[in-house]
Amino acid sequence: MNYSDKFKASINKLKFEGRYRYFNEIERCAGQHPNAYWKVNSKSSEIIVWCSNDYLGMSQNDLIIKSMIDSVKCMGTGSGGTRNISGNSSAIVNLEKELAILHNKKKAIVFSSGYVANESSISTLLNILDDVVVFSDEKNHASIINGIKKSGAQKEIFRHNDYNHLEELIKRYPIEKHKVIIFESIYSMDGDFGDIKNIVKIANKYKALTYLDEVHAVGMYGQTGAGVTEKMNLQNSIDIIQGTLGKAYGTMGGYISSSEEICDAIRSYASGFIFTTAMPPALAKTATESIKYLKNSDSERKLQQRNTAILKKSLLKENIDFLNNNSHIVPVMVNDPIRCSEISNILLNEFGHYIQPINYPTVPKGTERLRITPGPLHTDEMIYDLTISLKHAFNKTNNIVYKNYA
Ligand SMILES: *Cc1c(COP(=O)(O)O)cnc(C)c1O
């Protein structure tokens, strides 16, 4: 048996298709965001990060850093156990209370990450509902897809954001059959908004539960940063809201917020909630402070939105193709995996602009892109310089004929 060849072949396949993932080693220093250092061997060069999900720079916010330091000094580094066995700190209990208030729900439960929150909650929810069919948007995140797969539940995939297609599928089922509709408020790779209003209408008409991933929206939208549902006043129309503490809130962890019964049931049955070490109390305290901070401060959100508008204007002026959605995510379309990686390399090597290429399977083949997330701390000069650099990189890779791997 040659196991080694098997692994090598799997890697070579990815390399041949131009979708082998190279991880850039980055060193971020507190107070310098969006500047950072790119490390190659022992060399270090200064770069500007344009693809961070630390959307508002909260991971380097002075007050949040201080909260983390003070909390660690006070509570130590680890939680020391699962939620059930000695890990249920006051800090995590308070974080869950804060999250429930944020989303105007009765209860919230915290997981190790947004990924775990989705996979664990969805698979558990579907198992509890038993005779159930789940309706899932075709562009849902991998964590949602895996949660559904793990449950083994019957599933229907509806065309992206197409509530007519959703209705077409849902009306084939008897009214008494359990139904769950799962979708997102902002889709991470296209940056478009989920059609919450119309999907909620279908859910009400056919008596389905609604599960909404607000990962890219929490901290970013709504009066208190509670997401798109807050902005649209639809928090009470969604049964389960899922979010992360790892993106705009600048820390780590994931959660769902919902009714007393749903949270209690998932807490009691979800393996990924039960059999894992609880979040460190210092992290829970820091995440709580970050949520409170963004509840009261709008300036980061406003600046972020201003800079997004400026970047889009600049790209339009230079005729650089991007998906012009209304969110904070700006996907610049390259539509070829190798060219996409090459443009990213040119930006990084020649100009010090870091944008990770996004290739299949994260996005469909032929829609490879550079996903830009301008933040409140990018300057107008940086945005202008990025646009010119992008133009140069596009031109430089223009006359090379790439192989179509689709
Ligand atoms: C990032 C992401 C997640 C996972 O959240 P983490 O906290 O990073 O694990 C879930 N859903 C969507 C849509 C995401 O983009």
Side-chain angles (χ1 to χ4, degrees), residues 56-58 61-64 98 219 223-225 248-249 286-301:
L56 301 175
M58 289 302 287
N61 177 293
D62 285 341
L63 290 171
I64 304 308
E98 186 64 38
Q223 191 66 39
T224 67
Y249 290 124
T286 308
T288 309
E289 290 304 315
S290 184
I291 293 164
K292 283 184 176 163
Y293 178 96
L294 286 177
K295 251 180 160 176
N296 297 313
S297 175
D298 217 16
S299 59
E300 291 79 6
R301 280 190 283 275

Side-chain angles (χ1 to χ4, degrees), residues 339-375:
R339 188 177 184 193
C340 194
S341 302
E342 203 151 308
I343 289 176
S344 170
N345 286 337
I346 294 170
L347 289 176
L348 189 57
N349 287 304
E350 294 182 27
F351 303 100
H353 290 298
Y354 173 41
I355 313 173
Q356 189 67 30
I358 309 283
N359 286 356
Y360 176 83
T362 310
V363 294
K365 284 179 183 169
T367 71
E368 292 77 10
R369 66 198 67 183
L370 300 165
R371 177 185 182 272
I372 310 180
T373 53

Side-chain angles (χ1 to χ4, degrees), residues 53 55 111-118 139-144 183-189 213-216 242-247 251-255 329 371:
N53 283 337
Y55 293 134
F111 296 80
S112 316
S113 71
Y115 186 102
V116 177
N118 267 340
K139 292 216 168 154
N140 276 341
H141 189 256
S143 54
I144 295 174
F183 62 121
E184 301 182 13
S185 66
I186 299 176
Y187 289 85
S188 62
M189 292 303 150
D213 178 321
E214 283 247 53
V215 156
H216 293 283
Q242 181 266 356
T244 184
L245 304 167
K247 289 173 181 169
T251 57
M252 199 181 177
Y255 64 89
I329 298 165
R371 177 185 182 272

Side-chain angles (χ1 to χ4, degrees), residues 56-350:
L56 301 175
M58 289 302 287
S59 81
Q60 297 190 11
N61 177 293
D62 285 341
L63 290 171
I64 304 308
I65 291 174
K66 185 174 180 317
S67 162
M68 185 84 153
I69 294 168
D70 292 349
S71 307
V72 168
K73 281 187 177 156
C74 173
M75 306 168 187
T77 54
S79 67
T82 63
R83 292 296 290 275
N84 187 37
I85 308 175
S86 92
N88 192 40
S89 64
S90 304
I92 205 167
V93 172
N94 290 334
L95 170 60
E96 289 176 342
K97 281 184 189 153
E98 186 64 38
L99 287 165
I101 295 167
L102 181 72
H103 291 294
N104 206 17
K105 298 280 177 208
K106 283 279 177 315
K107 226 171 146 63
I109 50 175
V110 166
F111 296 80
S112 316
S113 71
Y115 186 102
V116 177
N118 267 340
E119 194 187 57
S120 239
S121 303
I122 290 168
S123 61
T124 306
L125 182 79
L126 297 175
N127 277 330
I128 291 171
L129 287 175
D130 212 5
D131 181 32
V132 62
V133 52
V134 57
F135 300 87
S136 177
D137 187 287
E138 69 179 340
K139 292 216 168 154
N140 276 341
H141 189 256
S143 54
I144 295 174
I145 296 167
N146 282 334
I148 294 170
K149 265 193 195 149
K150 201 172 144 205
S151 75
Q154 187 179 358
K155 67 166 189 283
E156 297 280 5
I157 312 293
F158 59 95
R159 285 194 294 273
H160 177 54
N161 245 347
D162 185 342
Y163 68 93
N164 287 316
H165 188 220
L166 169 64
E167 179 159 28
E168 210 176 284
L169 295 170
I170 207 169
K171 71 179 179 200
R172 295 179 192 156
Y173 290 88
I175 198 79
E176 61 280 358
K177 190 170 173 89
H178 298 142
K179 303 175 190 79
V180 182
I181 302 171
I182 308 181
F183 62 121
E184 301 182 13
S185 66
I186 299 176
Y187 289 85
S188 62
M189 292 303 150
D190 290 352
D192 58 331
F193 288 89
D195 191 351
I196 305 176
K197 223 175 211 155
N198 281 313
I199 290 175
V200 161
K201 270 190 203 153
I202 305 283
N204 291 338
K205 188 168 167 190
Y206 295 91
K207 310 265 173 285
L209 276 180
T210 46
Y211 183 109
L212 182 67
D213 178 321
E214 283 247 53
V215 156
H216 293 283
V218 291
M220 300 292 290
Y221 296 86
Q223 191 66 39
T224 67
V228 179
T229 44
E230 181 187 36
K231 189 179 167 194
M232 298 179 69
N233 203 13
L234 286 169
Q235 300 209 84
N236 298 333
S237 307
I238 297 290
D239 295 296
I240 300 151
I241 293 177
Q242 181 266 356
T244 184
L245 304 167
K247 289 173 181 169
Y249 290 124
T251 57
M252 199 181 177
Y255 64 89
I256 58 162
S257 63
S258 186
S259 66
E260 188 84 41
E261 314 81 65
I262 289 179
C263 286
D264 203 21
I266 290 176
R267 180 188 70 89
S268 306
Y269 285 100
S271 194
F273 180 88
I274 300 169
F275 299 104
T276 191
T277 300
M279 176 186 283
L283 181 58
K285 175 83 167 76
T286 308
T288 309
E289 290 304 315
S290 184
I291 293 164
K292 283 184 176 163
Y293 178 96
L294 286 177
K295 251 180 160 176
N296 297 313
S297 175
D298 217 16
S299 59
E300 291 79 6
R301 280 190 283 275
K302 287 230 168 83
L303 254 180
Q304 194 288 323
Q305 281 160 13
R306 172 195 176 272
N307 288 346
T308 302
I310 288 177
L311 173 65
K312 286 180 178 176
K313 223 165 117 186
S314 182
L315 293 173
L316 274 173
K317 201 170 143 225
E318 293 299 333
N319 269 322
I320 296 170
D321 184 30
F322 64 98
L323 297 181
N324 201 353
N325 54 59
N326 289 315
S327 77
H328 60 285
I329 298 165
V330 187
V332 167
M333 303 308 288
V334 182
N335 304 324
D336 182 292
I338 300 196
R339 188 177 184 193
C340 194
S341 302
E342 203 151 308
I343 289 176
S344 170
N345 286 337
I346 294 170
L347 289 176
L348 189 57
N349 287 304
E350 294 182 27

